[in-house]
């Protein structure tokens, strides 16, 4: 761990952020001056940075143990927060632990204690039982998207974790949903509530698309053609429906990825990487994709099936019209279907005949070297430009991981590039470069 703390000005400069938004400023003041804070703000307004900045500022650089614990409801959110801390360049170690990855990998990383530990309740509780890290120095706990954690049945583990922290001084709870009952085990005492849920920071339009058939697949394809080439998410309620929709889109040659809890963690991560870098314009997903995912600004989402609760409708819609942008949520409705009460102010959208969305011009490549091999994004770009003979407009997003990297390249250049760079040296390591299927 570095003994030099980065100040907030340095962190914001590293993140290319000129200034914090009003919610982040208010949250920071509240967290600095109160022991218990509940932060309510829509998805996409920057809650992660809002709580991380004051948490990092209060860490002790001389302390060798875990000082802050962040509990999250999903693996993706854990990975995302770890990534944000890394990008902040604070000098403090952070690690994410979660189900679906090897416990021995966690054990190895926890030997060198992170200042901030992020994780899903089940995995964190397991490490606490095994005494993989000391809880003596943990002064701060963050329950991020706490309502979702309670919803997916983590109450037992969360109770065990919170009651197992003897020296807790600060509790920070975040949510994008109002009117959630905070359980007693959290131990909040007269919390300061920061509520930005009613702030009109974005313009969401809800449009109803009428399907003449109960099976809405044909209407879905027409809707996608009508919308054109923009990134978006198609929400379904069940894994089986995702499969049905995916098969139909494949038959109509519409490129897409799938994302659900039933998939292997590695496959879920790769779908999101390909979505972020433009290889996929579309993903078909369950409500797992409604929160806490590190994905780009979306112009639209489609409710192929409506969720059963208004709160999930809100969270799905929160993937578009984020921060201060506009976005559209399309509801596919069979003409004889009755819409639930939580859908208000919706307008009927008449579909124009249009060609199906074009294929993406990007493809994703896997590079078998990463941070632990002292490889940087600049090293990969240099290899692809010099040896791979790519032009600057033919190289897209590079995502660097601990032991590998994923690179977006113009699809038309992939075959030529692989002949030039596969099995070559990058720093001191011989790397394989292959297509991510």
């Amino acid at each position: 761990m570095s003994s030099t703390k980065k100040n907030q000005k340095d962190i914001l400069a590293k993140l290319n952020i000129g200034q914090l938004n009003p919610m982040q400023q208010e949250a920071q003041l509240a967290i600095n001056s109160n022991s218990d804070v509940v932060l309510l703000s829509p998805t996409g307004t920057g809650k992660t940075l809002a709580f991380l900045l004051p948490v990092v500022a209060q860490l002790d650089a001389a302390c060798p143990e875990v000082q802050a614990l962040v509990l999250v409801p999903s693996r993706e959110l854990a990975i995302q927060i770890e990534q944000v801390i890394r990008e902040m360049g604070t000098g403090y170690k952070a690690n994410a632990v979660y189900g679906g990855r090897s416990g021995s990998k966690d054990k190895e990383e926890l030997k060198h204690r992170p200042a901030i530990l992020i994780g899903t309740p089940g995995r964190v509780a397991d490490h606490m039982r095994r005494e993989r890290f000391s809880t003596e120095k943990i002064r701060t706990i963050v329950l991020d998207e706490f309502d979702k954690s309670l919803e997916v049945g983590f109450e037992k583990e969360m109770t065990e974790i919170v009651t197992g922290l003897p020296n807790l001084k600060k509790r920070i709870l975040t949510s994008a949903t109002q009117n959630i009952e905070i359980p007693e085990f959290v131990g909040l005492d007269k919390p300061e509530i920061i509520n930005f849920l009613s702030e009109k920071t974005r313009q969401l339009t809800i449009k109803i698309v009428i399907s003449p058939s109960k099976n809405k697949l044909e209407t879905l394809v027409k809707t996608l053609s009508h919308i054109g080439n923009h990134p978006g998410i198609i929400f379904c309620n069940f894994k089986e429906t995702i499969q049905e929709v995916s098969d139909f889109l494949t038959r109509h040659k519409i490129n897409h990825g799938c994302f659900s809890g039933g998939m292997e963690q590695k496959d879920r991560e790769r779908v999101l990487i390909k979505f972020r870098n433009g290889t996929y314009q579309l993903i078909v997903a369950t409500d797992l994709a409604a929160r806490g995912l590190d994905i780009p600004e979306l112009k639209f989402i489609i409710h192929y099936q409506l969720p059963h609760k208004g709160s999930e409708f809100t969270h799905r819609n929160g993937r578009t019209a984020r921060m201060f942008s506009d976005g559209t949520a399309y509801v596919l409705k069979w003409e004889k279907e009755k819409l639930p009460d939580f859908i208000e102010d919706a307008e009927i959208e008449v579909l124009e005949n249009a060609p199906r969305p074009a294929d993406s011009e990007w493809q994703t490549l896997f590079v078998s070297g990463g941070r632990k091999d002292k490889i940087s994004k600049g090293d990969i770009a240099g290899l692809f430009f010099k040896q791979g003979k790519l032009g600057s407009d033919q190289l897209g997003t590079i995502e660097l991981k601990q032991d590998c990297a994923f690179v977006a390249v113009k699809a038309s250049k992939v075959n030529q590039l692989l002949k030039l760079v596969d099995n070559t040296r990058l720093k001191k390591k011989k790397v394989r470069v292959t297509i991510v299927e």
Side-chain angles (χ1 to χ4, degrees):
M1 187 194 298
S2 161
S3 60
T4 54
K5 284 188 183 182
K6 291 283 194 305
N7 65 34
Q8 184 166 304
K9 196 176 165 191
D10 294 337
I11 291 169
L12 294 182
K14 197 164 192 313
L15 296 171
N16 292 320
I17 293 172
Q19 69 177 67
L20 298 176
N21 65 38
M23 178 275 289
Q24 291 168 328
Q25 290 174 22
E26 199 172 318
Q28 189 165 28
L29 281 171
I31 293 168
N32 284 333
S33 52
N34 293 274
S35 55
D36 295 343
V37 175
V38 177
L39 174 58
L40 305 172
S41 191
T43 303
T45 48
K47 289 195 291 296
T48 303
L49 196 59
F51 69 72
L52 281 178
L53 284 169
V55 166
V56 165
Q58 290 168 13
L59 295 174
D60 175 4
C63 176
E65 297 292 343
V66 179
Q67 299 174 62
L69 180 61
V70 184
L71 293 183
V72 294
S74 71
R75 303 161 181 185
E76 284 71 26
L77 189 48
I79 294 163
Q80 183 185 322
I81 293 171
E82 182 187 38
Q83 189 64 30
V84 171
I85 297 170
R86 211 165 252 146
E87 286 165 6
M88 288 165 75
T90 63
Y92 288 106
K93 186 172 188 272
N95 284 120
V97 296
Y98 45 86
R101 77 173 214 151
S102 108
S104 57
K105 201 171 178 182
D106 287 353
K107 190 179 171 185
E108 197 56 40
E109 288 186 351
L110 290 172
K111 278 181 185 170
H112 305 285
R113 302 279 193 268
I116 304 174
L117 181 63
I118 311 115
T120 48
R123 184 56 69 98
V124 170
D126 183 55
H127 286 311
M128 280 175 69
R129 284 180 214 121
R130 295 169 192 268
E131 298 181 349
R132 294 260 167 80
F133 61 92
S134 166
T135 57
E136 290 296 314
K137 300 291 183 185
I138 297 176
R139 302 281 188 268
T140 302
I141 190 167
V142 181
L143 307 182
D144 195 20
E145 301 277 14
F146 73 93
D147 55 305
K148 188 64 182 173
S149 295
L150 295 171
E151 202 176 276
V152 293
F154 283 133
E155 188 154 353
K156 182 172 169 285
E157 287 91 347
M158 286 165 79
T159 306
E160 185 183 341
I161 292 164
V162 175
T163 53
L165 304 177
N167 299 311
L168 207 52
K169 296 280 185 284
K170 196 177 285 288
R171 297 163 177 82
I172 304 163
L173 278 64
T174 83
S175 177
T177 308
Q178 207 151 4
N179 302 327
I180 302 295
E181 197 172 322
I182 297 167
E184 276 185 29
F185 74 78
V186 180
L188 288 191
D189 180 29
K190 300 192 184 78
E192 178 77 6
I193 296 173
I194 308 295
N195 189 344
F196 273 73
L197 289 177
S198 56
E199 295 291 308
K200 202 68 180 154
T201 55
R202 59 196 184 141
Q203 186 57 52
L204 173 72
T205 307
I206 298 174
K207 296 188 173 183
I208 308 290
V209 177
I210 305 292
S211 170
S213 153
K214 193 172 182 180
N215 173 326
K216 296 179 276 195
L217 291 167
E218 291 284 356
T219 305
L220 173 64
V221 169
K222 283 182 183 167
T223 305
L224 291 171
S225 302
H226 170 82
I227 293 166
N229 287 309
H230 297 287
I233 299 178
I234 301 160
F235 280 105
C236 303
N237 292 343
F238 309 106
K239 288 179 284 190
E240 295 74 21
T241 315
I242 288 179
Q243 192 59 56
E244 189 185 329
V245 169
S246 176
D247 291 345
F248 195 81
L249 293 179
T250 301
R251 285 202 295 277
H252 283 77
K253 297 185 169 54
I254 296 176
N255 192 26
H256 64 281
C258 296
F259 185 84
S260 75
M263 294 166 60
E264 291 288 326
Q265 183 63 26
K266 187 180 87 165
D267 297 331
R268 275 160 55 169
E269 283 180 43
R270 290 191 174 193
V271 166
L272 294 181
I273 287 164
K274 290 166 89 171
F275 191 47
R276 283 194 288 266
N277 70 25
T279 299
Y280 290 143
Q281 286 272 67
L282 293 169
I283 52 174
V284 188
T286 57
D287 284 332
L288 186 64
R291 311 172 182 232
L293 291 193
D294 178 20
I295 51 177
E297 184 65 54
L298 301 181
K299 289 305 289 178
F300 75 96
I301 60 115
I302 294 176
H303 299 275
Y304 180 77
Q305 292 172 311
L306 279 170
H308 301 301
K309 293 197 295 202
S311 58
E312 285 309 319
F313 185 71
T314 302
H315 281 295
R316 286 182 180 186
N317 293 343
R319 302 284 14 153
T320 185
R322 301 184 75 185
M323 288 296 269
F324 302 98
S325 310
D326 296 344
T328 307
Y330 294 90
V331 175
L332 300 197
K333 174 192 173 298
W334 176 39
E335 57 189 8
K336 294 182 184 172
E337 190 179 352
K338 185 181 182 301
L339 289 178
D341 294 339
F342 55 72
I343 298 181
E344 302 171 315
D345 304 325
E347 51 194 70
I348 301 286
E349 179 83 339
V350 179
L351 300 181
E352 308 267 337
N353 280 326
R356 70 171 176 81
D359 286 340
S360 169
E361 56 184 7
W362 297 101
Q363 204 161 4
T364 302
L365 300 182
F366 172 85
V367 180
S368 67
R371 269 192 213 95
K372 71 174 174 57
D373 307 298
K374 305 284 189 287
I375 290 169
S376 69
K377 290 184 183 182
D379 296 329
I380 295 170
L383 175 71
F384 281 32
F385 286 143
K386 289 175 194 158
Q387 201 162 320
K389 298 185 168 46
L390 283 189
S392 59
D393 61 339
Q394 293 163 346
L395 179 69
T397 308
I398 299 171
E399 285 204 27
L400 191 62
K401 305 290 184 189
Q402 198 59 16
D403 52 4
C404 64
F406 296 90
V407 188
V409 171
K410 283 284 172 74
S412 57
K413 294 289 172 185
V414 164
N415 290 338
Q416 167 202 313
L417 178 80
L418 290 178
K419 286 176 190 155
L420 297 171
V421 299
D422 184 27
N423 261 330
T424 55
R425 288 208 172 273
L426 192 50
K427 284 288 178 68
K428 293 177 180 174
K429 183 179 170 74
K430 195 174 193 186
V431 294
R432 297 300 317 266
V433 182
T434 52
I435 296 170
V436 179
E437 295 301 341

